[in-house]
Amino acid sequence: MNGNFGPMEMKTKLVSHLEISRLVLGIWRLIDWNKTHQELLSFIKESVEIGVTTFDHADIYGNHECEAAFGKVTKNNSLLRDQMQLVTKCGIKLNTNKFPERKLKYYDYSASYIISQVEQSLKNLQTDYIDVLLLHRPSPFFNPEEVAKAFDQLKSSGKVNHFGVSNFLPLQLESLQAFVEEPLVTNQIEISAYSLEHFENQNLDYLISKKIRPMAWSPLAGGELLTPKTEKGTRLIQAVEAVAQELGVTQTEQILYQWLLMHPSGIIPILGTGKIERIKTAVDSLNIQMSLAHWFQIYNASTGKELP
Amino acid sequence: MNGNFGPMEMKTKLVSHLEISRLVLGIWRLIDWNKTHQELLSFIKESVEIGVTTFDHADIYGNHECEAAFGKVTKNNSLLRDQMQLVTKCGIKLNTNKFPERKLKYYDYSASYIISQVEQSLKNLQTDYIDVLLLHRPSPFFNPEEVAKAFDQLKSSGKVNHFGVSNFLPLQLESLQAFVEEPLVTNQIEISAYSLEHFENQNLDYLISKKIRPMAWSPLAGGELLTPKTEKGTRLIQAVEAVAQELGVTQTEQILYQWLLMHPSGIIPILGTGKIERIKTAVDSLNIQMSLAHWFQIYNASTGKELP
Amino acid sequence: MNGNFGPMEMKTKLVSHLEISRLVLGIWRLIDWNKTHQELLSFIKESVEIGVTTFDHADIYGNHECEAAFGKVTKNNSLLRDQMQLVTKCGIKLNTNKFPERKLKYYDYSASYIISQVEQSLKNLQTDYIDVLLLHRPSPFFNPEEVAKAFDQLKSSGKVNHFGVSNFLPLQLESLQAFVEEPLVTNQIEISAYSLEHFENQNLDYLISKKIRPMAWSPLAGGELLTPKTEKGTRLIQAVEAVAQELGVTQTEQILYQWLLMHPSGIIPILGTGKIERIKTAVDSLNIQMSLAHWFQIYNASTGKELP
């Protein structure tokens, strides 16, 4: 967990016994990728070969279809499974066409629901264990004591190895950790040069103090940092291009990844692409060496003002 | 402290040696109730008989007259006193007609003032001990070390058995607890389907993590949830009525109480009524079984939007 | 750390082995004071003689010139040095004319930069040790583990005796403290009757709970409380004048200092003046006895409303 200004390793640790890849591949748009069975399998294998071995799922991605589509092509391949780390999430109950009985979307963190969803995820992914299970969102109706019991069962049965959260604020994480014995291993939150919320609300300070490394969803702000539509986005991309030019980098998104990678909190960006070329581009960003001045040049372009 | 979806007991514990009732009767409008001595005594006895045994006072309620009016009718009735738990508060100095020398209302948490106000409350209530003493509001001029000394004296002299706070935010409570040896037993805050502040500012998360159960003042949002005047109130009451209809409940306020009662933080609602019938209605709400989906249906009606 | 309503001592402790003066002299406008060598030396000596023995520097004050100007007149005077406590700060990299290679102002809390700046400060101040080193501002790029290593080195080499922060919020301080063994001794923040931010964001509550005494910069709100330009400032000065009149105090700024001095968090105001007479006026404010009602009269004038 150091500010890192040079080439980085592709492997990294969340906690002592949990090695993942420095970049994670997000699976939420897998259905949209429109890949054949063989194309998807090749894509996953290539991703693993170039070092992106950690895959970020959620039970609900693709209206509950992504996990199963992934599992279908990776099943019966224990060699591949051993090389991968699977992250998935639970807790959100969608009211899509698959659940006509539900009148609204809501959250369920009852022990029974957490356990049943993990069992469903295991079936979908056609695997025996989840590497990291995340609670998808903080809930106004949340019983950490009950969640801790579910975690205990899932851990002792070998179904889940590690636990974390997503989109939690400091006292929400603190509240869960108060009841869960093992250290929570990550908080997956939105972080990008565009989205500075967790720099501003002390959440990154909190995570650093607890040695919990964040994963960053939407590291490119959902495309806003590639094809900006806002004044802020435009300002940012100009700054990013200026830095890229100084460093002789032709792919601006590499600057945006390195901006996250070098942060002292040890941010792990989640890629959203289905194109192996763009994964390679992201992987290459680990070799970029940016200065602290560059980092702040981009930070200031985001806030639109000088530091105090 | 579990999310509770079924019939509840009328007795509950704040901490191991402190049993109170699942619903508390607030005394702040006692003067407005306009009851004769005999009416008030009967009302209090009936309340105790149906299980609402905890009474929430403050030194200042009714311009300092409520405690004494209550004490006048309950005195010399040690049997009744043994069945009751008395909560009272201190710290606010009113500048009403009773205190012509005061130019403004302000807060005083000096040890000497806390102790003298407790002694006054004991006189007013005509009892030997307070079950729970609360600090009425957080103050910008607050010395927790000095407050802790006052608590020590009040505890060792037997004048107060337990201590808590009201309207405190997490770091305010944390600051007091850092100096007070015994665990603070409650934080009395505004919580209702209408007032979601403490869901949103992480205070409920904090209280859960510390196993401190909140008491909820204005659980019906001061009538706004019975006869709404705002768009939000109207939206809410429609959701509450829909849930009530599904559950075959005719009194919508029972839904509003159960919405609080079932929350994992173990919320203890404070009733404000002087009518025994409405207390019975509230007590009956303990038997209602709402689903998590119902809970969120009401929550969403309050925020006016879907969950993320 | 007690609410203090009476005459105060000029000496006070930040932590057990660190005695400073109850009022601190800020050095950031030293260049503007336009004093000759002899005038400056006399001013510093007089300040020390009347008990204001702690001087607040930063590497960047006066475009990096204040420390050296101070050191130039105090050097070779070990008797004077023994009587003084020197506070200085680091972490901000200015992009002034002195640093033509810098394209922007940014923050640098790398171990190497912290150490090199302290060494520069020692040279400038012509002394062997800094009494208290502060990190000037919280940074979105902050590695507390690395900062802790720098602190360790500076401490063990005898170059810095104590460490603190400035402008930090609770979780930012908490994060640094998690890695630094010795207790951080202060958080220098903006506090005045005009600027209530740290009363409202729970920072003062936090500092009290950790027994960390704040230093207050801009205790007179940069002159706004002497010659107000805003409605709020006008409202405040009227309240302050009313209190002054009641107490027979002719210098309203004494009321403003005492308002800070009496606060239970043990606030240490930082004076900004280069006039010995105004320092004496401030020192005399330690003898003023204000009541709690007075304190709230001024507080309410600042918020513009009654307490809840």
Side-chain angles (χ1 to χ4, degrees):
Chain A
M1 205 195 301
N2 277 302
N4 199 325
F5 298 80
M8 294 175 190
E9 300 293 315
M10 266 309 293
K11 287 182 185 301
T12 195
K13 285 188 173 179
L14 278 189
V15 286
S16 58
H17 294 290
L18 175 54
E19 195 168 63
I20 65 166
S21 55
R22 199 65 183 79
L23 295 161
V24 166
L25 189 58
I27 299 301
W28 72 291
R29 289 191 297 199
L30 180 145
I31 305 300
D32 302 334
W33 295 341
N34 256 315
K35 292 187 193 290
T36 64
H37 182 101
Q38 195 50 51
E39 284 169 351
L40 183 56
L41 182 58
S42 300
F43 175 71
I44 294 168
K45 281 183 172 176
E46 283 189 87
S47 174
V48 168
E49 271 162 33
I50 60 176
V52 177
T53 59
T54 307
F55 298 89
D56 182 61
H57 293 267
D59 54 353
I60 60 170
Y61 284 169
N63 193 14
H64 285 268
E65 293 184 8
C66 288
E67 280 184 334
F70 186 94
K72 205 170 158 189
V73 306
T74 54
K75 71 172 168 179
N76 301 328
N77 195 330
S78 66
L79 194 66
L80 186 57
R81 179 65 188 92
D82 290 349
Q83 293 175 289
M84 297 191 299
Q85 301 82 43
L86 300 182
V87 179
T88 196
K89 314 184 190 75
C90 68
I92 298 178
K93 281 183 162 166
L94 297 179
N95 63 329
T96 58
N97 58 326
K98 287 211 167 63
F99 307 93
E101 78 284 7
R102 288 188 197 151
K103 286 197 294 194
L104 74 166
K105 174 169 80 167
Y106 64 99
Y107 304 154
D108 189 344
Y109 292 107
S110 63
S112 60
Y113 185 68
I114 291 172
I115 290 168
S116 71
Q117 276 310 102
V118 167
E119 283 166 356
Q120 187 59 52
S121 288
L122 291 174
K123 266 186 224 160
N124 292 343
L125 292 164
Q126 307 210 30
T127 185
D128 298 326
Y129 66 100
I130 304 294
D131 292 275
V132 186
L133 177 71
L134 307 183
L135 305 187
H136 208 143
R137 287 194 171 275
S139 171
F141 195 100
F142 189 73
N143 187 337
E145 203 168 357
E146 189 174 342
V147 171
K149 280 179 198 159
F151 283 4
D152 272 354
Q153 276 192 46
L154 291 167
K155 174 81 182 182
S156 62
S157 66
K159 288 172 182 167
V160 176
N161 287 339
H162 301 277
F163 301 91
V165 295
S166 185
N167 303 300
F168 273 46
L169 293 174
L171 293 184
Q172 292 164 343
L173 197 158
E174 190 86 352
S175 180
L176 179 57
Q177 189 68 80
F179 295 91
V180 172
E181 260 182 62
E182 284 186 282
L184 299 166
V185 300
T186 193
N187 187 4
Q188 186 177 119
I189 51 186
E190 186 178 12
I191 323 175
S192 69
Y194 191 88
S195 178
L196 301 181
E197 177 187 357
H198 298 286
F199 290 95
E200 291 163 351
N201 65 7
Q202 305 179 63
N203 204 358
L204 284 173
D205 296 296
Y206 172 75
L207 293 172
I208 288 174
S209 76
K210 297 297 177 184
K211 301 191 180 182
I212 297 173
R213 293 177 64 179
M215 294 187 180
W217 58 265
S218 277
L220 307 179
E224 173 66 18
L225 292 181
L226 300 180
T227 51
K229 287 177 189 70
T230 63
E231 197 184 310
K232 178 177 165 182
T234 307
R235 211 166 53 214
L236 253 172
I237 207 63
Q238 285 171 352
V240 171
E241 279 169 1
V243 171
Q245 202 165 0
E246 267 190 56
L247 298 176
V249 169
T250 53
Q251 304 286 337
T252 53
E253 63 191 279
Q254 295 184 322
I255 300 294
L256 291 163
Y257 288 128
Q258 180 60 227
W259 190 86
L260 294 171
L261 288 163
M262 72 192 281
H263 190 266
S265 61
I267 295 168
I268 294 151
I270 301 173
L271 314 175
T273 185
K275 297 182 181 146
I276 200 69
E277 280 315 312
R278 288 194 60 207
I279 298 183
K280 284 180 187 165
T281 299
V283 168
D284 286 344
S285 69
L286 271 74
N287 298 312
I288 290 174
Q289 301 202 17
M290 268 165 72
S291 71
L292 195 54
H294 287 141
W295 195 90
F296 277 99
Q297 192 175 337
I298 292 167
Y299 184 86
N300 287 358
S302 184
T303 63
K305 57 185 179 200
E306 276 210 350
L307 293 169
Chain B
M1 207 194 298
N2 277 301
N4 199 324
F5 297 80
M8 294 173 190
E9 300 292 317
M10 266 310 292
K11 286 181 186 301
T12 195
K13 284 187 175 181
L14 278 188
V15 286
S16 58
H17 294 291
L18 175 54
E19 197 167 63
I20 65 166
S21 54
R22 198 65 183 79
L23 295 161
V24 166
L25 188 58
I27 299 301
W28 72 292
R29 289 191 296 200
L30 181 145
I31 305 299
D32 302 335
W33 294 340
N34 255 315
K35 292 186 193 291
T36 64
H37 182 102
Q38 195 50 50
E39 284 169 350
L40 182 57
L41 182 59
S42 300
F43 175 70
I44 293 167
K45 282 183 171 176
E46 282 188 88
S47 175
V48 168
E49 271 162 32
I50 60 177
V52 177
T53 58
T54 308
F55 298 88
D56 182 62
H57 293 267
D59 53 354
I60 60 171
Y61 284 169
N63 194 13
H64 286 268
E65 293 184 8
C66 288
E67 281 184 334
F70 186 95
K72 203 169 159 191
V73 306
T74 54
K75 71 173 168 177
N76 301 328
N77 195 330
S78 66
L79 194 65
L80 185 57
R81 179 64 189 93
D82 290 348
Q83 293 175 291
M84 297 192 298
Q85 301 82 43
L86 299 183
V87 179
T88 197
K89 312 185 191 75
C90 68
I92 298 178
K93 280 183 162 166
L94 296 180
N95 64 329
T96 58
N97 59 326
K98 287 210 166 63
F99 307 93
E101 77 284 7
R102 288 188 197 150
K103 285 197 295 193
L104 75 167
K105 174 169 79 167
Y106 63 99
Y107 304 154
D108 189 344
Y109 292 107
S110 62
S112 59
Y113 185 68
I114 291 173
I115 291 168
S116 72
Q117 277 309 102
V118 167
E119 283 166 356
Q120 186 59 51
S121 288
L122 290 174
K123 265 187 224 159
N124 291 342
L125 292 163
Q126 308 211 29
T127 183
D128 298 326
Y129 65 99
I130 304 294
D131 292 276
V132 186
L133 177 72
L134 307 182
L135 304 188
H136 209 143
R137 287 194 171 275
S139 171
F141 195 100
F142 189 72
N143 187 337
E145 203 169 356
E146 187 174 344
V147 171
K149 280 178 200 158
F151 283 4
D152 271 354
Q153 276 192 44
L154 290 168
K155 174 80 182 183
S156 62
S157 66
K159 288 173 182 166
V160 176
N161 287 337
H162 301 277
F163 302 91
V165 295
S166 186
N167 303 300
F168 272 45
L169 293 174
L171 294 183
Q172 292 164 343
L173 196 157
E174 192 85 353
S175 180
L176 179 57
Q177 189 68 82
F179 296 91
V180 172
E181 261 183 61
E182 284 187 282
L184 298 166
V185 300
T186 193
N187 186 4
Q188 186 177 119
I189 52 186
E190 185 177 13
I191 323 175
S192 69
Y194 190 89
S195 178
L196 301 181
E197 177 187 357
H198 298 285
F199 290 95
E200 291 162 351
N201 65 8
Q202 305 180 64
N203 205 358
L204 283 173
D205 296 296
Y206 172 75
L207 293 172
I208 288 174
S209 76
K210 297 298 177 185
K211 300 192 181 182
I212 296 174
R213 293 177 65 179
M215 294 187 181
W217 59 265
S218 278
L220 307 180
E224 173 66 18
L225 292 180
L226 300 180
T227 51
K229 287 179 188 68
T230 64
E231 197 184 310
K232 178 177 165 183
T234 306
R235 210 166 54 216
L236 252 172
I237 208 61
Q238 284 171 352
V240 170
E241 279 169 1
V243 171
Q245 201 165 1
E246 265 190 56
L247 297 177
V249 169
T250 52
Q251 304 285 338
T252 53
E253 63 190 280
Q254 295 185 321
I255 300 295
L256 291 163
Y257 288 128
Q258 180 59 228
W259 190 86
L260 295 170
L261 289 163
M262 71 192 283
H263 190 267
S265 61
I267 296 167
I268 294 151
I270 301 174
L271 314 175
T273 186
K275 296 184 181 145
I276 198 70
E277 280 315 313
R278 289 194 60 207
I279 297 182
K280 285 180 186 166
T281 299
V283 168
D284 287 344
S285 70
L286 272 72
N287 298 312
I288 290 174
Q289 302 203 18
M290 269 165 73
S291 71
L292 195 53
H294 287 141
W295 195 90
F296 277 99
Q297 192 175 336
I298 292 166
Y299 184 85
N300 287 359
S302 183
T303 63
K305 57 186 178 197
E306 276 210 351
L307 293 169
Chain C
M1 205 194 298
N2 277 301
N4 200 325
F5 297 81
M8 294 173 190
E9 300 292 316
M10 265 310 291
K11 287 181 186 302
T12 195
K13 284 188 175 181
L14 278 189
V15 286
S16 58
H17 294 290
L18 175 54
E19 196 167 63
I20 64 166
S21 55
R22 198 65 184 79
L23 295 161
V24 166
L25 188 59
I27 299 301
W28 72 290
R29 289 192 296 200
L30 179 145
I31 305 298
D32 303 334
W33 294 341
N34 256 316
K35 291 187 194 289
T36 64
H37 182 100
Q38 196 49 51
E39 283 169 351
L40 183 57
L41 181 59
S42 301
F43 175 69
I44 294 167
K45 281 183 172 175
E46 282 189 87
S47 176
V48 169
E49 271 162 32
I50 60 177
V52 177
T53 58
T54 307
F55 297 88
D56 182 62
H57 292 268
D59 53 353
I60 60 171
Y61 284 169
N63 193 15
H64 285 267
E65 294 185 7
C66 287
E67 281 184 334
F70 185 94
K72 205 170 160 189
V73 306
T74 55
K75 72 172 168 178
N76 301 329
N77 195 330
S78 67
L79 193 66
L80 184 57
R81 178 65 188 95
D82 290 348
Q83 292 175 291
M84 297 193 298
Q85 302 82 43
L86 299 184
V87 179
T88 195
K89 314 187 189 74
C90 68
I92 298 179
K93 281 183 162 166
L94 296 180
N95 64 330
T96 58
N97 59 326
K98 287 212 166 63
F99 308 92
E101 77 285 6
R102 287 188 197 151
K103 285 197 296 194
L104 75 166
K105 174 169 80 167
Y106 63 99
Y107 304 154
D108 189 345
Y109 291 107
S110 62
S112 59
Y113 185 68
I114 291 171
I115 291 168
S116 71
Q117 277 309 103
V118 166
E119 284 165 355
Q120 187 59 51
S121 288
L122 291 174
K123 265 187 225 159
N124 292 343
L125 291 163
Q126 307 210 32
T127 183
D128 297 326
Y129 66 99
I130 304 293
D131 292 276
V132 186
L133 177 72
L134 307 183
L135 304 187
H136 208 143
R137 286 194 171 274
S139 171
F141 195 99
F142 189 73
N143 187 337
E145 204 168 354
E146 189 174 342
V147 170
K149 280 178 199 159
F151 283 3
D152 271 355
Q153 276 191 44
L154 291 167
K155 174 81 182 183
S156 63
S157 66
K159 288 173 183 166
V160 177
N161 287 338
H162 300 277
F163 302 91
V165 294
S166 185
N167 303 300
F168 272 46
L169 293 174
L171 293 183
Q172 292 164 342
L173 196 158
E174 191 86 353
S175 181
L176 179 57
Q177 189 68 80
F179 295 91
V180 172
E181 259 182 62
E182 284 187 281
L184 298 166
V185 300
T186 192
N187 187 4
Q188 186 177 119
I189 52 186
E190 185 178 13
I191 323 175
S192 69
Y194 190 88
S195 178
L196 301 181
E197 178 187 357
H198 297 285
F199 290 95
E200 290 162 352
N201 65 8
Q202 303 178 64
N203 204 359
L204 283 174
D205 296 295
Y206 172 74
L207 293 172
I208 288 174
S209 76
K210 298 298 176 185
K211 300 191 182 184
I212 296 174
R213 293 177 65 179
M215 293 187 182
W217 58 266
S218 277
L220 306 180
E224 173 66 18
L225 292 180
L226 299 180
T227 51
K229 288 180 188 66
T230 65
E231 198 184 309
K232 179 177 163 182
T234 307
R235 211 167 52 215
L236 253 171
I237 208 62
Q238 284 171 353
V240 170
E241 279 169 2
V243 171
Q245 200 164 2
E246 266 190 56
L247 297 176
V249 169
T250 53
Q251 304 285 337
T252 53
E253 64 191 280
Q254 296 185 321
I255 299 295
L256 291 163
Y257 288 128
Q258 180 59 228
W259 190 86
L260 294 170
L261 289 163
M262 71 191 284
H263 190 267
S265 61
I267 297 168
I268 294 150
I270 301 173
L271 314 175
T273 185
K275 297 184 180 143
I276 200 69
E277 279 315 312
R278 288 194 59 206
I279 298 182
K280 284 181 187 164
T281 299
V283 169
D284 286 343
S285 70
L286 272 74
N287 298 312
I288 290 174
Q289 302 203 16
M290 268 165 71
S291 71
L292 195 53
H294 287 141
W295 194 91
F296 277 99
Q297 192 175 339
I298 291 167
Y299 184 85
N300 287 359
S302 184
T303 64
K305 57 185 177 198
E306 276 211 350
L307 293 168

